């Protein structure tokens, strides 16, 4: 049972890392300054994640995007409108034009019992991650790729590279604790990535020929041929060991190549660069008495309520801003003679609205750098109170095997 539980927990953790984050690229990219401060056993608590992709292209849930004022994300539709909430409006989906592909708001509803009157034991906390692309000048000598290959094997392959690539002059292997990190001491020239990759391809062709591939056969094709031989021909012991040894050498080269390719990608102008997250954790200021003796509903709009606008914000160098704001609604169910209060919490991305300049081909999308810098990821809302209660009570039913479940 323990093995099953561990496998399930591992699968759940993997799904969270890939969909919600952090951990989409594991610890492939590291900052040598903080390398020892970050543990690598629990990726889910990695507070300053480094990824080599726009976060909107990597993660797919728990995201709040900025408003699209350009109408470029969904041609033919109206841009999102942020309408004023008032006492005649419901604080729900109808108050905003929602974009299902690029959600701008999220929320939850809970129930507080009447004992909260005069106590005000209610806390609301907001959690998220905000990403910023690191400038190329900051990358050199500090940010790199964690070497997950045997360093001796890596260095042997590095020495075999043709000299025309220029990689040996740029690359340095930083050592900190028990880790090795691949770094560039200088920013590669515009033509360097192309030359380095050509050098690596030449080494791959040489290795393929040395291992017995046919003339002109790529290493990947030869690897597939060897795997097929193991599956179908089932060669005798000696021959099987020889094939396994060849496959090991090919996989070592592929790992070497992947490490270099990832490092080059951080510096290329056509790539996404390197993005670093910072944690967002905010306690919402609730400097008022919880309305209990009321009829209908009471809305606290972020436009009019001190402390609700810009719960967290960050100014960008171009004069724009990434920002989160909050709306609250308290209401009572007039059909039930009960003192309970329903609380609706709505979190909204109030970052600077995305606009598209004339003749600008960069439209609103999850891959757009400007959009990503005004987006929040891994967003969570947490309501804490000893007065929380279920919407409806539950009771035992005779003969019901699941009588202990909430209904």
């Amino acid at each position: 049972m323990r093995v099953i539980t561990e496998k399930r927990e591992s699968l759940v953790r993997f799904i969270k890392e890939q969909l919600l984050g952090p951990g989409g690229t594991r610890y492939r990219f590291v900052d040598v300054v903080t390398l020892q401060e970050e543990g690598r056993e629990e990726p889910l608590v990695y507070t300053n994640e480094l990824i080599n992709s726009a976060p909107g292209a990597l993660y797919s849930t728990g995201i709040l995007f900025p408003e699209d004022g350009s109408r470029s994300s969904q041609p033919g539709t109206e841009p999102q409108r942020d309408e004023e909430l008032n006492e005649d409006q419901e604080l729900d989906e109808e108050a905003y034009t929602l974009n299902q592909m690029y959600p701008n708001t999220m929320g939850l509803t809970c129930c507080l019992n009447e004992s909260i009157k005069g106590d005000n034991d209610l806390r609301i906390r907001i959690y998220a991650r905000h990403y910023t692309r690191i400038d190329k000048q900051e990358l050199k000598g500090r940010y790199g790729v964690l070497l997950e290959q045997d360093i001796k094997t890596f260095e042997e392959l590095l020495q075999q590279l043709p000299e025309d690539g220029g990689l040996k002059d740029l690359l340095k292997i930083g050592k900190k604790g028990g880790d090795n990190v691949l770094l560039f001491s200088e920013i590669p020239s515009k033509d360097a990535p192309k030359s380095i990759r050509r050098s690596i391809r030449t080494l791959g062709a040489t290795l393929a020929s040395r291992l017995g591939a046919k003339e002109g056969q790529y290493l990947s094709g030869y690897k597939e041929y060897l795997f097929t031989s193991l599956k179908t021909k089932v060669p005798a012991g000696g021959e099987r060991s020889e094939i396994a040894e060849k496959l090991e050498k090919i996989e070592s080269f592929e790992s070497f190549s992947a490490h270099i390719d990832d490092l080059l990608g951080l510096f290329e102008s056509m790539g996404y660069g390197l993005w670093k997250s910072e944690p967002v954790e905010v306690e919402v200021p609730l400097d008022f008495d919880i309305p209990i003796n009321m009829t209908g509903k009471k809305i606290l709009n972020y436009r009019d309520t001190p402390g609700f606008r810009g719960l967290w914000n960050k100014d960008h160098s171009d004069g724009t801003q990434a920002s989160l704001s909050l709306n609250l609604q308290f209401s009572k169910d007039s059909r039930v003679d009960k003192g309970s209060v329903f609380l609706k919490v709505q979190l909204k991305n109030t970052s600077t609205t995305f606009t598209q300049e004339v003749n600008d081909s960069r439209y609103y999308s999850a891959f757009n750098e400007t959009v990503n810098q005004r987006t929040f990821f891994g967003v969570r809302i947490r309501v804490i109170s000893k007065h929380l209660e279920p919407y409806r009570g539950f009771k035992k039913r005779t003969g019901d095997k699941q009588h202990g479940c909430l209904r």
Side-chain angles (χ1 to χ4, degrees):
M1 182 62 72
R2 180 180 177 183
V3 174
I4 295 175
T5 302
E6 289 176 352
K7 287 189 180 233
R8 183 185 183 281
E9 290 175 350
S10 176
L11 177 60
V12 170
R13 183 168 61 248
F14 175 77
I15 292 174
K16 283 185 177 179
E17 289 171 351
Q18 298 303 307
L19 299 182
L20 182 68
T25 58
R26 306 293 292 181
Y27 289 99
R28 184 69 164 179
F29 305 94
V30 293
D31 176 356
V32 293
V33 174
T34 61
L35 184 58
Q36 296 305 306
E37 299 174 13
E38 299 286 1
R40 289 205 298 276
E41 285 73 27
E42 292 293 338
L44 292 177
V45 296
Y46 194 10
T47 53
N48 292 110
E49 182 184 31
L50 294 170
I51 56 177
N52 66 332
S53 171
L58 184 62
Y59 298 119
S60 57
T61 191
I63 306 173
L64 289 184
F65 290 91
E67 291 186 354
D68 176 19
S70 68
R71 303 179 63 176
S72 61
S73 61
Q74 291 184 339
T77 63
E78 290 296 318
Q80 293 166 306
R81 296 185 300 274
D82 180 12
E83 301 178 4
E84 287 275 353
L85 292 178
N86 54 59
E87 294 297 328
D88 297 324
Q89 285 183 299
E90 281 285 339
L91 181 57
D92 57 17
E93 293 83 350
E94 295 178 2
Y96 294 93
T97 301
L98 292 182
N99 187 323
Q100 293 183 356
M101 182 174 291
Y102 301 106
N104 179 253
T105 62
M106 68 174 289
L108 60 81
T109 304
C110 59
C111 188
L112 302 167
N113 61 42
E114 60 183 339
S115 61
I116 197 172
K117 182 178 181 180
D119 185 356
N120 290 335
D121 176 46
L122 175 65
R123 287 178 294 162
I124 301 174
R125 291 178 181 169
I126 307 300
Y127 304 89
R129 301 189 310 278
H130 178 261
Y131 289 81
T132 304
R133 183 172 178 172
I134 301 173
D135 186 82
K136 282 186 183 180
Q137 293 295 334
E138 297 179 37
L139 290 176
K140 61 181 182 180
R142 176 172 177 175
Y143 297 95
V145 177
L146 185 68
L147 183 57
E148 299 175 282
Q149 182 178 27
D150 175 65
I151 188 169
K152 183 178 179 181
T153 301
F154 181 89
E155 290 178 332
E156 287 176 353
L157 288 166
L158 182 63
Q159 292 306 313
Q160 296 175 36
L161 278 179
E163 295 295 333
D164 64 336
L167 177 63
K168 298 174 188 176
D169 297 328
L170 287 170
L171 185 69
K172 74 173 185 178
I173 302 177
K175 300 180 187 291
K176 191 168 184 182
D179 294 306
N180 298 296
V181 183
L182 303 181
L183 304 162
F184 277 155
S185 56
E186 296 294 336
I187 297 177
S189 66
K190 182 179 179 181
D191 297 327
K194 184 177 180 180
S195 299
I196 291 171
R197 289 193 173 98
R198 182 173 59 243
S199 177
I200 292 175
R201 285 196 301 270
T202 300
L203 177 58
T206 301
L207 178 61
S209 177
R210 190 187 308 155
L211 294 177
K214 295 178 182 179
E215 186 176 352
Q217 187 177 23
Y218 290 109
L219 199 60
S220 57
Y222 186 54
K223 177 184 176 182
E224 186 177 347
Y225 165 77
L226 292 176
F227 268 124
T228 303
S229 297
L230 282 177
K231 290 179 182 179
T232 59
K233 298 180 181 179
V234 193
E239 187 179 353
R240 189 178 187 89
S241 299
E242 183 180 341
I243 291 177
E245 186 177 339
K246 289 181 178 181
L247 286 169
E248 184 177 349
K249 290 180 179 179
I250 293 174
E251 289 173 353
S252 292
F253 172 79
E254 289 176 337
S255 177
F256 167 82
S257 176
H259 278 85
I260 301 300
D261 194 60
D262 282 345
L263 185 58
L264 287 171
L266 303 184
F267 293 85
E268 290 181 294
S269 57
M270 296 300 291
Y272 289 112
L274 190 67
W275 293 71
K276 186 175 184 177
S277 72
E278 60 179 308
V280 174
E281 184 172 344
V282 181
E283 181 101 15
V284 180
L286 301 175
D287 303 326
F288 53 82
D289 291 330
I290 307 301
I292 292 293
N293 300 322
M294 64 173 181
T295 57
K297 57 183 176 291
K298 179 177 179 61
I299 292 176
L300 301 177
N301 189 293
Y302 75 87
R303 296 179 182 276
D304 308 316
T305 308
F308 280 19
R309 186 183 186 97
L311 288 171
W312 189 95
N313 48 97
K314 181 172 184 175
D315 295 325
H316 298 142
S317 58
D318 60 359
T320 62
Q321 186 182 73
S323 174
L324 284 172
S325 300
L326 190 85
N327 295 309
L328 292 183
Q329 175 182 288
F330 295 93
S331 62
K332 303 188 82 169
D333 189 348
S334 58
R335 298 167 300 178
V336 180
D337 185 16
K338 188 179 178 183
S340 300
V341 174
F342 293 98
L343 168 65
K344 288 187 177 183
V345 183
Q346 186 183 64
L347 186 65
K348 178 176 175 63
N349 185 331
T350 49
S351 302
T352 304
T353 300
F354 176 85
T355 56
Q356 190 176 31
E357 301 296 329
V358 178
N359 298 323
D360 188 353
S361 60
R362 295 172 297 177
Y363 57 89
Y364 187 104
S365 77
F367 297 85
N368 185 293
E369 181 177 336
T370 300
V371 172
N372 276 273
Q373 288 184 336
R374 303 177 196 175
T375 300
F376 293 89
F377 298 85
V379 182
R380 291 187 295 133
I381 301 172
R382 187 181 180 193
V383 176
I384 307 166
S385 175
K386 63 186 177 184
H387 305 293
L388 287 169
E389 68 175 12
Y391 275 28
R392 296 181 178 85
F394 67 95
K395 59 182 179 180
K396 295 182 180 181
R397 296 185 181 182
T398 305
D400 189 346
K401 295 182 179 179
Q402 298 183 355
H403 60 262
C405 297
L406 287 173
R407 299 187 179 278

